[in-house]
Amino acid sequence: AASRQSVRVAGRTNAPSLQVEAEGGWMNGFPGDLNEMRLNESVGITLSVPLFEGFSTDRRVEEASAGVREAEARLSAVRRRVETGVTQAASDLRALIDRLDATRERVDQARLAADLARTRYEAGTITNLDLLEAQTELQEAQLEQTEVRYRIVMARYALRAATGTLL
């Protein structure tokens, strides 16, 4: 809005202008009685009619118009960055939610494998090392699920920040 206003102002600098000035007050020190306060006043009118300014008005209008175009380009770039940020944050969040579903399945399968490994270990068909490997796989799957949950929380905050609704 300010840039557009500067274009309007620049376009009107070649228009005639009229200024009226008035001034008044009390003053002492006039001849006759230096201590006597007397009314002091002045009034003036100035009329300016620009005839030719070497196309400076056109240049000022062009410069102001370029400022408007630059401001609009900056605004457009900021809008694109915001849109891209929101789109990327939403996409990241969706991908993490899909990954959480996959980690849930992995935890369920690892839990079943650990339970089966315990049963087999108690039956004596597998070694202690096999049981520890199954339990380790379960712990790793649970850790991955926890990490994904944390990343989902952070992605939600990133999406809120990108949309301007952080608070």
Side-chain angles (χ1 to χ4, degrees), residues 30-44:
F30 289 101
D33 187 2
L34 296 178
N35 293 323
E36 180 183 350
M37 297 297 287
R38 293 186 184 177
L39 184 62
N40 181 22
E41 64 219 16
S42 68
V43 177

Side-chain angles (χ1 to χ4, degrees), residues 115-126:
D115 291 343
L116 181 60
R118 179 170 302 287
T119 303
R120 287 183 175 172
Y121 175 74
E122 291 170 355
T125 58
I126 62 170

Side-chain angles (χ1 to χ4, degrees), residues 12 20 77 89 94 114 127 165:
R12 293 185 180 142
V20 177
R94 279 191 299 272
T127 66
T165 58

Side-chain angles (χ1 to χ4, degrees), residues 74-152:
R74 282 195 314 266
L75 177 62
S76 179
V78 167
R79 282 188 176 141
R80 281 192 306 274
R81 279 196 306 271
V82 168
E83 288 172 0
T84 301
V86 169
T87 301
Q88 184 63 45
S91 176
D92 291 347
L93 181 59
R94 279 191 299 272
L96 286 168
I97 290 171
D98 291 344
R99 187 170 171 202
L100 181 62
D101 292 339
T103 60
R104 284 184 185 137
E105 189 173 318
R106 181 177 173 209
V107 167
D108 291 342
Q109 291 174 355
R111 187 173 286 120
L112 288 174
D115 291 343
L116 181 60
R118 179 170 302 287
T119 303
R120 287 183 175 172
Y121 175 74
E122 291 170 355
T125 58
I126 62 170
T127 66
N128 186 29
L129 181 60
D130 294 330
L131 176 61
L132 290 175
E133 285 178 0
Q135 290 174 338
T136 300
E137 177 63 30
L138 175 59
Q139 293 293 319
E140 288 176 355
Q142 289 172 333
L143 176 61
E144 181 185 6
Q145 187 177 42
T146 302
E147 288 173 346
V148 169
R149 284 182 179 155
Y150 168 76
R151 290 179 65 195
I152 286 174

